[in-house]
Structure formats: structure tokens, C-alpha cells
């Protein structure tokens, strides 16, 4: 991604060309080399020289390195280009590793969210009757144990009242499960 002030003076044809061909483009003098662009606006700060360098990892284009120099012509010597070639494989590998790490982190986050959601559903199923959605025996016993320990801690009285409705099946069959 080019900063907006750079984008106005650099023809994107260079970037497109490097992306398509994966060739290094080095322009020593932008005033005389007009292969890719012609800058007619003299009010802009024009680079004197530039290099556009593909960063490739395992035969995949990872990024494009775009360097400019506004002070001098012919700054990207063959020695500097060789250094860039040496560094480019490490840079491309690092960028690819960062991309893969982010993808893995995003996948882990999504998976963790799914696990939390499913765990919540399983906890609800383990604690409630699927038909009535009321607490089941397990949940009831856990609630009693919690309330008993709370009352003991706070030195309060603990009372349990149970009610049993005889012939509840008749009521349930007559009025349904929605009530």
C-alpha cells in the first residue's frame, strides 16, 4: 500500500508490471527513463530514482517492495540490488509466516467461540429437562448444595420445601406442555 503523497507521483503501471512479471524494475533517472510514467506536474516532489522489487515465497508473490530516492539518481546499484535479492527471501518468508500466524490466530478464536457456545448448550442440556425446560434433578441438587453452603457461611437458616402434585400427568395431558 502506497502512501497517498507517493501514489500521486508514481505511475501504478510499475506496480502492475512487477506484479504480473515478478521482475525487478530499477529506474536510475526518472527524468530520462519514461518507460512507465511521465510526470508533468513539476510542483510535486518527484523521486530521482526508484526500484520496485517483488517479494516471492514458494513461487507466490507475497508483496512488492517499492523504494524511491528524492535526492539522488542511480542510488540502487547492482550491489544494493544483490543485497535486496538476498534479503527478499527472508522478508517474504517472514511476511508469509505473519499472514499464516494471523490466519491461525483467527481460526483459533473462531474455534474457541464455537467451543464456548457448544459448551454453554451442553451445560444447559445437562441441567434442564428438554421438554419442560425446568431444572432437572442434577441442577436441583447443585442449587441446594450451593444455597446450603451460603446459608452456613452467613449463619442463616436453611429450609427446603418440596411439593408433589398427584396425578400431574392428567393435568399435563389436558392442558399440554405449554403451560
Amino acid at each position: 500500500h502506497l502512501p497517498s503523497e507517493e501514489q500521486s507521483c508514481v505511475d501504478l503501471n510499475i506496480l502492475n508490471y512487477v506484479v504480473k512479471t515478478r521482475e525487478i524494475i530499477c529506474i536510475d533517472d526518472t527524468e530520462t527513463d519514461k518507460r512507465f510514467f511521465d510526470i508533468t506536474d513539476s510542483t510535486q516532489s518527484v523521486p530521482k530514482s526508484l526500484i520496485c522489487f517483488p517479494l516471492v515465497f514458494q513461487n507466490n508473490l507475497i508483496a512488492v517492495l517499492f523504494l524511491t530516492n528524492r535526492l539522488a539518481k542511480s542510488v540502487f546499484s547492482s550491489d544494493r540490488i544483490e543485497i535486496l535479492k538476498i534479503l527478499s527471501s527472508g522478508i517474504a518468508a517472514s511476511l508469509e509466516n505473519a499472514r499464516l500466524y494471523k490466519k491461525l490466530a483467527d481460526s483459533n478464536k473462531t474455534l474457541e467461540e464455537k467451543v464456548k457456545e457448544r459448551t454453554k448448550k451442553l451445560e444447559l442440556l445437562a441441567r434442564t429437562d428438554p421438554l419442560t425446560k425446568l431444572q432437572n434433578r442434577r441442577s436441583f441438587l447443585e442449587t441446594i448444595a450451593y444455597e446450603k453452603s451460603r446459608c452456613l457461611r452467613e449463619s442463616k437458616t436453611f429450609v427446603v420445601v418440596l411439593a408433589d402434585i398427584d396425578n400431574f400427568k392428567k393435568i399435563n395431558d389436558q392442558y399440554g406442555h405449554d403451560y
Side-chain angles (χ1 to χ4, degrees), residues 31-50:
E31 291 176 9
T32 59
D33 190 336
K34 304 294 184 189
R35 286 180 293 168
F36 294 99
F37 62 99
D38 183 18
I39 299 173
T40 55
D41 185 359
S42 60
T43 62
Q44 289 183 337
S45 176
V46 179
K48 302 258 186 205
S49 58
L50 63 84

Side-chain angles (χ1 to χ4, degrees), residues 15 36 46-47 71 97 107 161 169:
L15 287 173
F36 294 99
V46 179
L71 302 176
N97 286 342
S107 295
V161 177
K169 182 174 178 358

Side-chain angles (χ1 to χ4, degrees), residues 21 42 79 101 133 164:
T21 65
S42 60
D79 291 342
Y101 181 80
K133 304 294 186 235
D164 186 16

Side-chain angles (χ1 to χ4, degrees), residues 107-128:
S107 295
N108 283 344
K109 183 178 178 185
T110 302
L111 186 59
E112 286 173 7
E113 288 169 358
K114 285 181 181 179
V115 166
K116 280 182 186 177
E117 181 183 318
R118 290 188 178 145
T119 300
K120 213 174 186 181
K121 286 179 182 178
L122 286 173
E123 286 174 355
L124 182 66
L125 286 172
R127 301 169 128 304
T128 58

